[in-house]
Amino acid sequence: MKVLFSTTNKHKIAEANETGKIYGIEFEQINFPYPETRDEKFENIACEGVRYVYEKVNKQVIVEDSGIIIDALNGFPGTFSAYAQKKLGNKGILNLMRDVEERNRTGKYISVVAFFDGKILKTFVGTVDGKISTRERGSSGFGYDPIFIPLGYAQTFGENPEPKKEISHRRKSVEAFCKFYVKYNEGVK
Ligand code: IMP
């Protein structure tokens, strides 16, 4: 089964396909950047995005909106994660957190997949808890991975991206979507 996934981020496609293959689903990248409204809710952005892309392609499609929530920064950058990564980078984020003690460096990644077929609009959420490291470590993955240490691990996702396949926010949201889609597709046949 092929599912169109509108994103400019090839890492998202690669990670989604790691999960998709377990369910016999192949995500095919299409590139229709949607205007991201200023909203603090990932779900709202993903829903608006998927409706926008559906209007363009007129086929069932998914988008994914994701980001990082840092407790010591009152949830920042949240839905502004891509913008903050571009403007501040990991060094800038670490600088904002330079006085934050180890025990308060908690945060989480969140991923929301939104599916729309012209009638049914559904969202699937995944999160992974972790800590923000004190320096950049490793260069695997993308975005905040070099400063994100998932709970229960010692290394950042940048040092060791392997656990992303099993425990990441995207693994969970995409897996929830895949479970839905397998049933949805049986109903359509
Ligand atoms: P968007 O979903 O395209 O708005 O962008 C989400 C942003 O959040 C990305 O550009 C990254 O900076 C960050 N992000 C989301 N998921 C991950 C991840 O798995 N690793 C590292 N950074 C991520």
Side-chain angles (χ1 to χ4, degrees):
M1 292 179 275
K2 278 202 178 185
V3 173
L4 299 181
F5 182 170
S6 183
T7 177
T8 55
N9 185 333
K10 63 180 186 340
H11 298 280
K12 288 188 179 182
I13 291 286
E15 290 185 15
N17 274 322
E18 286 286 342
T19 308
K21 68 184 178 199
I22 304 166
Y23 293 87
I25 293 172
E26 187 191 333
F27 293 99
E28 189 184 319
Q29 183 172 12
I30 56 168
N31 193 343
F32 288 91
Y34 49 91
E36 285 197 21
T37 41
R38 281 183 184 230
D39 198 306
E40 288 202 29
K41 286 211 163 72
F42 289 90
E43 281 89 345
N44 293 349
I45 296 174
C47 285
E48 278 202 34
V50 79
R51 283 180 183 280
Y52 177 91
V53 177
Y54 179 85
E55 288 301 316
K56 301 276 170 209
V57 296
N58 220 7
K59 286 187 187 139
Q60 55 173 243
V61 63
I62 65 164
V63 303
E64 189 244 16
D65 199 62
S66 51
I68 192 165
I69 290 171
I70 300 177
D71 298 327
L73 302 178
N74 294 330
F76 183 79
T79 54
F80 301 99
S81 292
Y83 185 72
Q85 182 60 227
K86 202 165 84 190
K87 293 287 180 187
L88 300 175
N90 289 330
K91 286 193 173 56
I93 294 288
L94 291 176
N95 197 29
L96 290 177
M97 296 180 69
R98 63 190 176 278
D99 296 327
V100 180
E101 292 173 35
E102 169 71 24
R103 67 190 161 94
N104 294 325
R105 299 183 74 90
T106 50
K108 67 177 169 198
Y109 275 138
I110 177 164
S111 159
V112 178
V113 168
F115 166 83
F116 190 48
D117 67 358
K119 286 196 190 106
I120 297 171
L121 175 66
K122 270 185 116 34
T123 55
F124 307 87
V125 184
T127 62
V128 56
D129 290 324
K131 285 204 160 197
I132 310 304
S133 59
T134 49
R135 59 184 176 85
E136 287 179 273
R137 285 164 29 194
S139 54
S140 294
F142 68 101
Y144 299 88
D145 284 344
I147 62 168
F148 186 82
I149 307 165
L151 195 67
Y153 292 78
Q155 292 179 305
T156 64
F157 275 152
E159 291 172 299
N160 181 15
E162 270 307 297
K164 278 191 107 174
K165 290 182 190 163
E166 300 294 329
I167 60 159
S168 82
H169 51 319
R170 189 160 298 107
R171 160 70 195 242
K172 292 169 189 162
S173 61
V174 170
E175 182 153 61
F177 165 74
C178 289
K179 285 182 174 161
F180 154 80
Y181 192 73
V182 166
K183 283 202 182 129
Y184 166 91
N185 213 46
E186 281 167 5
V188 172
K189 267 187 220 156

